Amino acid sequence: MSRPPGVPTPDELEARITELRAAVRRAVAAGDRRKARELRAELRKAERAWDDAVLGDATDDPGADGRGDAERGLLPVREQVHQALTLLGAPAAPKLIGAVYSVFFPGEISSTRLTSLRRDEERSFRTAPYARPYYLCAALTADLLAPARGLLTVSTWPLEQRIVGPLSPRTDFLTAAARLAEHAERSAGRGTTPSPEVQRLLWRFASNIPGAATGTVGTADPAVLAEAARAELDVHREPDRRRRESAARRARDRLDDAERLFGSRLRAVRGSGRSPGRRPSSAASPAISGETDR
């Protein structure tokens, strides 16, 4: 999908949103209400731009029935997966990706296409490296830098974000929970109850986070869920970040471009104390799917 020159990408908008949120907190702490209001307005504008960049405009290029391709769910599957992963902001399994897309976007992702998607992406990259603006690639295990079973990421994410270590399944789960809750609250409007479909998806996260499930079973307050997820994330983020950064340094030193995206298979990182032919443990790969499929 081409992007007009000068239009920020979802990742750039996300970074800007993070900066603005921190700036709002600083302004409030300093007692500068005028500055805080200005920053909040700018934050809302950036969030709307992010929503537009990820969701797209369903009224663009309408067909004979007056509905756009996005509304009919006719986007290529790789773009559907990219949208869902961009919203999640963390490595995720196909089952969760499909669930998120069906709840927050028009249409559904074909499960049959997801099974071969990563292989197709790797084949495309090795045939013509960097010919596409992004690739859907594997998460890498922190120990062997091998592809983590069943986890997809986006090539434009920082390498550290695409690596999963021992604490990553939990931090990625909490990251996704907070982001989905925040998105649900923005989409429904502050103080408005999200749709039943959104409620059910958020409940799958809230039921696995202390303090997040405060209402009726099967429903979740987005604001409460986001706050509870961020609170626990603060506990795990730093040690997980250190492990991921260490693995990312090894990956940059020892892997070629394709392996940094799709993982090292036969020549696993030396000195790890494990046989190169041994398959990586699945303990590092449940990430979000294992927590939400209960």
Side-chain angles (χ1 to χ4, degrees), residues 1-286:
M1 183 190 302
S2 61
R3 188 178 301 277
V7 176
T9 65
D11 288 340
E12 291 169 341
L13 288 167
E14 182 182 321
R16 178 59 177 157
I17 288 170
T18 300
E19 293 173 358
L20 287 169
R21 285 176 179 161
V24 169
R25 288 195 294 269
R26 289 194 297 269
V28 171
D32 191 342
R33 295 186 177 182
R34 179 178 177 181
K35 183 66 173 178
R37 284 194 296 270
E38 293 174 352
L39 289 168
R40 285 195 189 101
E42 191 173 349
L43 173 59
R44 287 192 291 270
K45 182 178 178 181
E47 289 174 338
R48 286 194 297 270
W50 188 92
D51 286 341
D52 290 343
V54 174
L55 292 170
D57 187 348
T59 62
D60 287 347
D61 192 21
D65 60 358
R67 295 183 300 164
D69 283 351
E71 187 176 345
R72 293 194 302 270
L74 298 181
L75 285 175
V77 65
R78 68 186 306 271
E79 293 189 25
Q80 293 176 313
V81 173
H82 182 258
Q83 287 182 332
L85 281 171
T86 300
L87 179 54
L88 286 162
K95 187 173 182 179
L96 178 64
I97 292 170
V100 168
Y101 192 88
S102 66
V103 167
F104 289 106
F105 301 92
E108 296 183 353
I109 297 178
S110 170
S111 58
T112 56
R113 285 288 291 114
L114 278 175
T115 58
S116 62
L117 180 60
R118 194 193 62 76
R119 292 194 299 273
D120 294 342
E121 293 286 288
E122 181 173 2
R123 189 180 303 113
S124 173
F125 181 87
R126 291 184 181 278
T127 300
Y130 302 110
R132 295 175 173 177
Y134 68 84
Y135 292 85
L136 301 173
C137 51
L140 307 184
T141 59
D143 52 359
L144 297 181
L145 301 178
R149 182 181 299 177
L151 292 179
L152 290 174
T153 68
V154 182
S155 63
T156 55
W157 291 356
L159 185 54
E160 292 81 357
Q161 191 176 352
R162 295 188 282 108
I163 287 176
V164 290
L167 291 174
S168 301
R170 188 60 181 173
T171 59
D172 287 345
F173 175 80
L174 295 168
T175 297
R179 290 171 62 91
L180 292 178
E182 291 166 356
H183 181 70
E185 189 174 22
R186 290 197 303 269
S187 299
R190 191 174 298 276
T192 303
T193 302
S195 70
E197 294 78 14
V198 173
Q199 286 276 343
R200 285 193 290 270
L201 178 62
L202 296 184
W203 170 255
R204 291 166 59 184
F205 286 88
S207 61
N208 287 282
I209 300 174
T214 58
T216 306
V217 173
T219 66
D221 184 317
V224 174
L225 171 57
E227 183 177 357
R230 287 193 296 264
E232 187 181 340
L233 188 58
D234 287 341
V235 176
H236 302 300
R237 181 188 287 114
E238 186 59 25
D240 182 50
R241 180 191 64 79
R242 290 196 298 267
R243 181 65 179 266
R244 289 172 119 150
E245 287 182 348
S246 174
R249 287 192 294 270
R250 287 189 289 115
R252 293 187 180 98
D253 290 341
R254 307 182 188 191
L255 303 184
D256 61 29
D257 287 0
E259 289 172 331
R260 289 187 198 123
L261 296 181
F262 300 99
S264 173
R265 295 183 183 276
L266 296 179
R267 65 178 190 86
V269 177
R270 295 177 181 175
S272 63
R274 300 177 62 176
S275 169
R278 183 177 176 184
R279 191 171 187 85
S281 169
S282 60
S285 62

